[in-house]
Amino acid sequence: MTTFLKSNRVTEWLVRGIRNGNAHRLPVVLFAILTLGVYAFIEIAEEMAEGEIRKFDEMLFLSLRVPGDPSTPLGPAWLQETAVEVTSIGGFPLIILTLAAVAGFFIVTRRYGAALYAVLAVGSGALLSQTLKQYYGRPRPDLVDHLDTVHTLSFPSGHAMVTTVAYLTLASLVIGFLTDRRARIYVLAVAVFVAVIVGVSRVYLGVHWPSDVAAGWALGAAWASLSWLILHFLKHHSRVQIESGDKP
């Protein structure tokens, strides 16, 4: 009984100050995104491992390059500089700084569970990304010179995956405090937009194949949905225990 009560206290502490929005449709939506994301990642990974996606990758990759001169990206010179700046949004330094700032805000407002949730969701997503890179061992694109410094393997794109996890996780926390539907859609759209432009910038700069980025998006959305789904059920469990009179 003592263990049960302690478990309830931990659950209540974790979800205190976090809101989930619509409690009825949310689990269905999250489970659908989780399922589709994992399925898409597995399909892309299988095609990549078998080499069947190479031609498609090269076609999309070269479509962002000047015809006849693949060493030169499309667009004016300032666009390349912009791409480098955009891609830094998905880099670990900025992700860590953003996460630290948000977690710090939750800590000073005594929403400790929200801070822990954000750190665990993003941190575990980054760890999963690095683990999968080592497992698949796919080399970086070799068709052109890289326009950004890289230190790791290619599949899946860490920038695409971690950006998707981080910004969707932070968006989920913000959405819970919004009652206006348009505001919720806006916050979610901004998170998706950031993940998209970061992923595209990786291909434009020649450091990732399109399939790397697509796999990162898919698994990132799935991981963020899984984290959100776990939080939803913890919050639901806590509420049920309170309503049933089991709260000490």
Side-chain angles (χ1 to χ4, degrees):
M1 183 63 178
T2 302
T3 301
F4 176 76
L5 293 177
K6 288 182 178 179
S7 176
N8 282 344
R9 290 194 187 99
V10 171
T11 302
E12 291 170 27
W13 176 85
L14 177 63
V15 302
R16 186 181 299 122
I18 305 177
R19 300 177 184 176
N20 276 331
N22 192 303
H24 301 291
R25 288 178 293 180
L26 184 63
V28 176
V29 174
L30 292 177
F31 185 75
I33 296 174
L34 170 60
T35 303
L36 289 174
V38 171
Y39 174 78
F41 176 81
I42 292 174
E43 287 295 311
I44 295 171
E46 288 182 351
E47 294 293 322
M48 182 274 297
E50 296 171 358
E52 296 181 2
I53 205 170
R54 173 78 182 200
K55 290 184 178 180
F56 185 70
D57 264 338
E58 290 183 357
M59 181 186 69
L60 289 180
F61 186 89
L62 294 176
S63 69
L64 298 179
R65 301 277 162 165
V66 174
D69 184 16
S71 63
T72 305
L74 290 175
W78 60 263
L79 185 59
Q80 180 178 326
E81 182 179 350
T82 300
V84 173
E85 294 175 351
V86 167
T87 208
S88 66
I89 298 174
F92 280 111
L94 190 54
I95 291 290
I96 291 172
L97 285 174
T98 302
L99 183 61
V102 173
F105 169 78
F106 284 128
I107 290 173
V108 298
T109 56
R110 298 186 179 182
R111 294 183 172 92
Y112 305 112
L116 181 61
Y117 163 66
V119 171
L120 287 179
V122 178
S124 59
L127 179 61
L128 177 62
S129 171
Q130 295 304 310
T131 301
L132 290 173
K133 281 178 179 290
Q134 296 302 317
Y135 176 78
Y136 286 105
R138 188 185 198 184
R140 295 278 179 167
D142 54 1
L143 298 181
V144 299
D145 291 335
H146 300 158
L147 301 179
D148 189 33
T149 303
V150 290
H151 304 286
T152 59
L153 294 168
S154 196
F155 186 91
S157 167
H159 275 66
M161 180 175 173
V162 177
T163 302
T164 302
V165 173
Y167 286 93
L168 286 181
T169 296
L170 298 181
S172 71
L173 291 170
V174 173
I175 286 173
F177 292 93
L178 301 175
T179 56
D180 187 285
R181 183 180 180 184
R182 290 175 296 180
R184 291 179 177 178
I185 293 174
Y186 172 78
V187 170
L188 185 59
V190 169
V192 172
F193 175 72
V194 171
V196 169
I197 62 172
V198 167
V200 172
S201 74
R202 303 305 285 168
V203 180
Y204 183 82
L205 294 173
V207 295
H208 270 300
W209 298 109
S211 57
D212 298 336
V213 172
W217 284 334
L219 194 57
W223 196 256
S225 298
L226 175 61
S227 301
W228 198 352
L229 195 60
I230 292 172
L231 180 66
H232 172 84
F233 284 118
L234 286 175
K235 192 171 182 63
H236 176 72
H237 171 74
S238 177
R239 185 171 61 251
V240 168
Q241 294 302 321
I242 292 173
E243 291 175 353
S244 64
D246 288 330
K247 181 182 178 182

